[in-house]
């Protein structure tokens, strides 16, 4: 993918408004290449295409300037309707050197020949006047449409008639089409959408600003954009690519991806309104079945972005990452000692030492056969060295090392790539990145990673009985404990918590709050009002919107879980009792929100431990008891009441008891899930 320039040579130091090329092969995106002028750019692109053809690869080459003009211009100028004839015309007319070109003079000539010097081109960027080319749009006459159809659909795109000034693409067209004309003929390339893309090299028109967002701080926008659009296009499936290429624009040309911006950005499709619907006749849903329904019906709702690897802790990878460099990149020594070639048999050994040493960071030199060199841990092995003996096993005297064999060939060394080879898959999409992942990525040369944007989760409390802490509570009112708890849990899950406040038992107020939240968040978690009573407004409002399912789950504590969609945003309606709200969040909302955020389904890790309690359990519901580990046994909180918040603070995790009836006695094995396994 190439960001073009219509100006003169930009100098040796990389600059904006120059020519930049971005290359992606599969999911490997190379660093953008700075090309200071068009001569260098054409030579580089030609050599690149030759190498790709020699390797048997196909190339989709994108250039960021219009491939054609509005309807009628081509025939008026060349006498033909073929836009590729226009390419050849420009190739014959343009004189181009790194420090000067005739683009403004040619624009003036076209104006004089077509409309008496008053258009269609305007904006003279030279200090001298150019006959027929006005400096401004004053007295402008244009017998052709002002924009192509593509520019009319692409918001923010500029007209190709403007030759100079901010946003001008006219000069890029003048100076780019001759290059494309030569490349097309040299490589017998196919040009989209004018020709079928049956050749190994296809040339398409791109506009990076169509799908690429702002560049990260400290980077050159043009360089960032070509690398990013290359990554976006390389990530497309064959089916999606075919869909994007199905365009009929035989004269004007078209911008690749126009109308398919969401697919290029990798923005997920919205969830269906019926994604929470339960099968007909289902009244009580077992826990495992409820989780499988969520797992099968939910998908990511977050977009993607690229971040520096150093800033990726806790982020969810959006694409598979591949090693750009082997680890270790070269054979090296694992110890301090002396290196030489080959093993040595038993008995006394003497090897003369070469001058110098090999230390970590040194460029590897060479050691003649039969000689040794001093090496330090981590040093790349010089040529002629494949074995290292520990310094403790060596005596140095008279410029030679003395030691007793045997020693095996390859001893105390690490092979290049013995940890990771270049090109190997090192991180899969959907992984929540840990500190060790950042070390692996960095060690293998991956300085930036593609991640999911953080999921924004709104938290809303409902109920007339609630007041915020610090306010005066009237008789019958309680402080809202759920909202601070849920906001904190959302943050611990790695998402962005958005405080939506609280609303009373008022359906209109609830609808207004949900309307406001839908434009700010990716998912909503509510507490209270999730059952089917007179004041359960969350379930009633979602039901009236036509996108709600009241899941009666066979779980204790908990049971009612209102799941629905509000203006395309998934809503998780939790029970109002704090213990039930927390348990339902851990068991259901946490993995579901993870899927929406682009993560894999996250199962908590449990441990079989002896019970320190007795309990008789009825059949029918899976139960979660607040628990902690003491002396290697699971203790449970004295009360199972859903309002006993002190038990949540007391506990270190949950004991999970299955749906079947059972008698638990002290010493029996039970499953304990620490809160840490839930990410809290």
């Amino acid at each position: 993918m190439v960001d073009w320039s219509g100006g003169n040579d930009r100098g040796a130091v990389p600059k904006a408004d120059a020519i930049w090329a971005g290359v992606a092969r599969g999911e490997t995106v190379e660093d953008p290449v700075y090309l200071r002028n068009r001569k260098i750019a054409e030579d580089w692109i030609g050599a690149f295409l030759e190498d790709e053809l020699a390797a048997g690869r196909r190339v989709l080459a994108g250039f960021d300037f219009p491939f054609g003009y509005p309807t009628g211009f081509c025939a008026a100028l060349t006498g033909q309707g073929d836009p590729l004839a226009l390419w050849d015309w420009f190739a014959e007319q343009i004189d181009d050197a790194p420090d000067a070109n005739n683009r403004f003079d040619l624009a003036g000539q076209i104006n004089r020949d077509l409309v008496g010097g008053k258009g269609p081109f305007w904006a003279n960027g030279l200090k001298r006047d150019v006959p027929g080319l006005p400096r401004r749009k004053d007295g402008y006459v244009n017998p052709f449409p002002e924009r192509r159809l593509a520019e009319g659909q692409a918001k923010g795109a500029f007209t190709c008639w403007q030759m100079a000034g901010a946003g001008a693409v006219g000069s890029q067209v003048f100076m780019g089409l001759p290059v494309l004309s030569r490349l097309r003929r040299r490589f017998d390339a196919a040009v989209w959408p004018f020709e079928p893309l049956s050749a190994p090299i296809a040339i398409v028109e791109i506009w990076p600003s169509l799908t690429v967002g702002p560049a990260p701080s400290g980077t050159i926008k043009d360089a960032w954009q070509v690398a990013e659009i290359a990554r976006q296009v390389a990530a497309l499936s064959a089916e999606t690519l075919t869909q994007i290429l199905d365009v009929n624009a035989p004269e004007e040309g078209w911008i690749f991806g126009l109308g398919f911006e969401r697919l290029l950005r990798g923005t997920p499709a919205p969830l269906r309104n019926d994604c929470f619907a339960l099968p007909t006749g289902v009244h009580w849903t077992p826990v495992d079945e409820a989780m499988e329904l969520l797992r099968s019906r939910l998908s990511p709702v977050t977009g993607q972005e690229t971040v520096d690897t150093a800033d990726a802790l806790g982020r969810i990878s959006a694409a598979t990452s591949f090693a750009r460099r082997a680890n270790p990149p070269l054979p090296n020594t694992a110890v301090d000692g002396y290196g030489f070639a080959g093993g040595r048999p038993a008995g006394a050994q003497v090897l003369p030492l070469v001058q110098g040493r090999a230390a970590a960071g040194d460029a590897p030199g060479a050691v003649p056969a039969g000689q040794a060199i001093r090496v330090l841990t981590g040093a790349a092995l010089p040529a002629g060295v494949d074995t290292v003996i520990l310094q403790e096993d060596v005596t140095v005297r008279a410029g030679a090392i003395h030691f007793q064999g045997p020693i095996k060939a390859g001893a105390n060394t690490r092979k290049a790539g013995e940890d990771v080879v270049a090109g190997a898959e090192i991180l899969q999409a959907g992984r929540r990145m840990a500190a060790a992942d950042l070390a692996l990525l960095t060690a293998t040369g991956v300085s930036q990673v593609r991640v999911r944007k953080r999921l924004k989760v709104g938290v809303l409390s409902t109920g007339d009985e609630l007041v915020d802490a610090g306010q005066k509570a009237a008789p019958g009112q309680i402080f809202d404990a759920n909202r601070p708890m849920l906001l904190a849990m959302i943050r611990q899950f790695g998402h962005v918590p958005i405080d939506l406040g609280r609303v009373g038992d008022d359906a209109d107020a609830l609808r207004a709050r949900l309307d406001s939240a839908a434009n700010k968040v990716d998912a909503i978690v509510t507490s209270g009002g999730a059952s089917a009573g007179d004041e359960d407004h969350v379930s009633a409002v979602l039901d009236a919107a036509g996108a709600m399912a009241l899941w009666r789950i066979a779980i204790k504590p908990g049971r009612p879980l209102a799941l629905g969609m509000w203006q395309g945003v998934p809503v998780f309606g939790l029970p109002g009792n704090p213990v039930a709200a927390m348990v339902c969040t851990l068991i259901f909302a946490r993995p579901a929100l993870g899927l929406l955020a682009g993560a894999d389904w996250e199962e908590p890790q449990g441990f079989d431990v002896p019970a320190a309690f007795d309990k008789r359990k009825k059949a029918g519901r899976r139960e979660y008891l607040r628990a902690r580990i003491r002396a290697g046994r699971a203790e449970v909180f004295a009360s199972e009441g859903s309002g006993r918040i002190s038990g949540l603070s007391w506990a270190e995790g949950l004991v999970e008891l299955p749906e079947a009836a059972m008698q638990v006695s002290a010493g029996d094995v039970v499953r304990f899930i620490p809160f840490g396994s839930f990410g809290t």
Side-chain angles (χ1 to χ4, degrees), residues 198-443:
S198 55
I201 295 175
I203 300 176
V204 303
E205 175 188 335
I206 61 169
W207 184 37
S209 296
L210 187 69
T211 59
V212 177
S217 177
T219 62
I220 295 177
K221 176 185 175 182
D222 298 339
W224 155 258
Q225 285 195 332
V226 290
E228 179 64 3
I229 189 64
R231 183 205 63 77
Q232 290 179 349
V233 176
L236 297 173
S237 66
E239 180 181 3
T240 300
L241 186 59
T242 300
Q243 186 180 5
I244 290 176
L245 292 172
D246 186 16
V247 167
N248 182 27
E251 178 182 349
E252 294 187 337
W254 198 255
I255 300 169
F256 179 89
L258 182 59
F260 299 92
E261 291 87 341
R262 182 180 61 78
L263 297 179
L264 275 169
R265 292 191 190 103
T267 304
L271 296 174
R272 304 186 316 273
N273 267 351
D274 62 351
C275 64
F276 292 126
L278 288 172
T280 303
V282 172
H283 298 291
W284 288 97
T285 307
V287 171
D288 287 342
E289 184 177 330
M291 289 196 287
E292 183 54 38
L293 286 170
L294 289 173
R295 185 173 187 172
S296 64
R297 295 181 182 183
L298 296 180
S299 58
V301 298
T302 52
Q304 302 178 15
E305 60 184 343
T306 300
V307 299
D308 291 341
T309 298
D311 298 326
L313 181 65
R315 302 298 297 271
I316 298 167
S317 59
T320 302
S321 294
F322 296 88
R324 302 187 69 175
R325 188 187 193 195
N327 184 48
L330 295 171
N332 65 74
T333 174
V335 299
D336 290 340
Y338 297 87
F340 45 86
R344 291 294 186 274
Q349 306 292 329
V350 179
L351 292 174
L353 276 172
V354 300
Q355 290 291 326
R357 67 175 191 177
D362 291 347
V367 176
Q371 299 186 46
I373 187 173
R374 172 68 166 156
V375 294
L376 303 180
T377 302
L381 296 180
V385 173
D386 62 11
T387 304
V388 175
I389 187 170
L390 275 73
Q391 63 183 16
E392 294 87 349
D393 297 334
V394 168
T395 300
V396 180
R397 63 176 181 269
I401 60 170
H402 301 253
F403 62 92
Q404 291 291 319
I407 185 170
K408 292 183 179 180
N412 301 313
T413 63
R414 309 182 184 104
K415 296 179 181 179
E418 71 174 25
D419 180 25
V420 180
V421 298
E425 178 182 308
I426 54 175
L427 199 70
Q428 292 185 336
R431 180 177 176 87
R432 192 180 300 276
M433 283 180 275
D437 297 322
L438 307 192
L440 177 59
L441 290 163
T442 303

Side-chain angles (χ1 to χ4, degrees), residues 437-525:
D437 297 322
L438 307 192
L440 177 59
L441 290 163
T442 303
T444 54
V446 180
S447 60
Q448 291 187 319
V449 287
R450 194 69 181 167
V451 298
R452 289 283 179 180
K453 293 182 178 179
R454 292 189 186 275
L455 188 76
K456 297 178 182 178
V457 183
V459 177
L460 176 65
S461 291
T462 68
D464 288 339
E465 73 278 13
L466 300 177
V467 294
D468 290 339
Q471 294 181 333
K472 183 176 181 180
Q477 288 188 313
I478 58 175
F479 294 119
D480 181 6
N482 282 353
R483 202 163 88 249
M485 175 183 72
L486 294 173
L487 288 167
M489 293 174 73
I490 296 301
R491 184 176 293 106
Q492 287 182 314
F493 295 159
H495 311 310
V496 178
I498 306 294
D499 190 352
L500 301 180
R502 57 181 176 82
V503 294
D505 293 320
D506 183 318
D508 291 336
L510 177 59
R511 277 190 288 268
R513 191 67 57 88
L514 293 174
D515 284 342
S516 174
N519 296 321
K520 303 175 183 176
V521 300
D522 303 306
I524 297 172
V525 174

